[in-house]
Amino acid sequence: MPSNWTVDFHASSAPNDDPAPVTLQPGSNGWAQVHSNSGDQTQVDWNVPNPRFGVRANNDEVQAYDWPLQDTLTLSIQSADSTKSYTITQQVTGYTPWDPNTSYADFTLPGTFDIQVGDHVSISDGTVTKTMIVSPLAFKAINLANDTVSGIASSGAHVDIWACDNSGNCTNRHVTAQGGNWTADFGHVGSQGDEQTTFKLVPGTWVDSQEYYADTALTT
């Protein structure tokens, strides 16, 4: 018969292999295992949902991630000059193509609402509400000779950039916009753990970027 169990990640434990106390928060994840006397095991993964969304202003698209399945989301957009507004609802019914564990809802608005820099965007399921102001994130140039990509963003913003080949292998760079400008160098390794490979930029290379916000929304 199944029995209940509880683990306190905030309290220190006796075994030497236990980690330091951990504060669970949106985005936290882990796993649990049960071992048999013969050495077999059963494992289950868990995660704390981290509802968030991204805005692709150049595509007039808003993408919602990790909201509970079957929740009805309300997307609201208010133009920067307050002359236009738009509201639409959509149910979360599927997962992202690249991660079967992350729920996904895609609001495609071309021809319906022209998303501009400075617009106020929010998504709510009635319990959790995320908001953001669309930033001026954009590419300026891709230099094939130097393997660099440059662009603009909010001054001081953290920007992630990645370049991918035709096989879907991607290389990451993380930069900070200085005075509203940023440059990502794919010809040299970076300082972070996922920046330790280089990438040769050639015609046809897929390059994308995103700027994070404290409220777990982002512009891409």
Side-chain angles (χ1 to χ4, degrees):
M1 178 180 294
S3 299
N4 297 317
W5 55 268
T6 300
V7 175
D8 186 354
F9 285 100
H10 192 263
S12 298
S13 301
N16 293 330
D17 61 350
D18 278 358
V22 174
T23 298
L24 299 180
Q25 57 189 342
S28 297
N29 62 81
W31 47 267
Q33 288 182 343
V34 175
H35 296 265
S36 69
N37 292 333
S38 61
D40 297 324
Q41 64 186 37
T42 300
Q43 178 170 317
V44 62
D45 298 328
W46 59 266
N47 75 291
V48 181
N50 182 28
R52 59 198 186 278
F53 70 92
V55 176
R56 289 187 177 272
N58 57 329
N59 293 341
D60 295 326
E61 183 178 16
V62 179
Q63 299 165 315
Y65 306 98
D66 216 16
W67 300 76
L69 280 176
Q70 308 307 319
D71 268 16
T72 297
L73 305 182
T74 299
L75 167 67
S76 300
I77 308 175
Q78 180 77 44
S79 64
D81 60 7
S82 299
T83 61
K84 295 184 298 181
S85 62
Y86 181 77
T87 301
I88 188 174
T89 60
Q90 182 171 315
Q91 193 173 41
V92 182
T93 58
Y95 296 89
T96 66
W98 55 89
D99 183 356
N101 297 311
T102 300
S103 61
Y104 179 66
D106 188 12
F107 297 84
T108 55
L109 309 178
T112 302
F113 193 94
D114 183 16
I115 302 175
Q116 298 290 321
V117 172
D119 287 355
H120 293 247
V121 182
S122 70
I123 287 184
S124 177
D125 65 355
T127 301
V128 175
T129 299
K130 299 291 184 178
T131 64
M132 66 170 285
I133 298 176
V134 179
S135 78
L137 178 64
F139 291 112
K140 292 196 305 182
I142 298 177
N143 189 314
L144 299 182
N146 296 332
D147 295 319
T148 60
V149 179
S150 59
I152 61 173
S154 303
S155 184
H158 171 82
V159 181
D160 297 329
I161 308 95
W162 57 97
C164 306
D165 60 24
N166 292 332
S167 300
N169 297 314
C170 301
T171 298
N172 299 315
R173 291 294 182 266
H174 310 289
V175 299
T176 299
Q178 303 291 343
N181 297 295
W182 55 265
T183 297
D185 183 357
F186 288 93
H188 299 84
V189 297
S191 59
Q192 298 192 33
D194 62 349
E195 298 180 299
Q196 298 309 301
T197 57
T198 59
F199 191 99
K200 180 61 181 175
L201 299 177
V202 298
T205 297
W206 173 264
V207 182
D208 208 348
S209 63
Q210 63 187 13
E211 175 185 338
Y212 278 96
Y213 295 79
D215 195 29
T216 64
L218 50 91
T219 293
T220 60

